[in-house]
Amino acid sequence: MAAITTTLYPATIHLALTDEEGRRNAVGASRRGLRLTDLQVGETVRVLRVAMKDLGCKKRLAEMGVAEGMRIKLVSKAGGQVMIQVGGAKMGLGEGCASEISVMRV
């Protein structure tokens, strides 16, 4: 069990989080903050959310393996392009498209 202690003058409040709650909070933070474009080359991640408004593009990415829950690896970043590996296949994405993909490091 993880514990967080916050001091408020003049009292101290203790808030205890179970491991499950801690994982849920970490996932929630990852959903908001970590984008595919934030990664370093070579990192492997799990897709949390594909937030594209263009449903056709979102569907096409899902057909190619870029969908919630899938593991992907960042192969390269250069010139506004992001190269990822999904399973055994490599694919390129524009930086704008890649920034709409929320991920969590594994």
Side-chain angles (χ1 to χ4, degrees):
M1 176 184 296
I4 299 174
T5 302
T6 304
T7 304
L8 299 173
Y9 186 82
T12 300
I13 299 172
H14 296 279
L15 175 62
L17 299 174
T18 64
D19 289 338
E20 179 61 30
E21 289 170 327
R23 278 193 295 275
R24 251 186 281 130
N25 290 342
V27 169
S30 293
R31 283 183 187 270
R32 291 187 300 273
L34 192 58
R35 300 172 302 170
L36 187 56
T37 52
D38 296 332
L39 302 176
Q40 298 298 316
V41 172
E43 287 190 86
T44 299
V45 296
R46 185 169 307 278
V47 176
L48 294 175
R49 186 168 157 240
V50 179
M52 291 171 196
K53 293 179 181 167
D54 181 352
L55 295 179
C57 184
K58 186 175 179 177
K59 181 180 176 190
R60 180 69 179 134
L61 285 173
E63 289 169 352
M64 296 184 331
V66 181
E68 295 172 7
M70 298 302 295
R71 290 175 64 136
I72 59 177
K73 180 178 180 178
L74 182 62
V75 176
S76 69
K77 289 189 336 185
Q81 298 293 314
V82 176
M83 178 72 69
I84 61 173
Q85 182 175 347
V86 183
K90 291 181 182 174
M91 63 187 309
L93 300 172
E95 201 168 74
C97 179
S99 70
E100 299 296 322
I101 301 172
S102 298
V103 297
M104 175 179 73
R105 288 183 176 99
V106 293

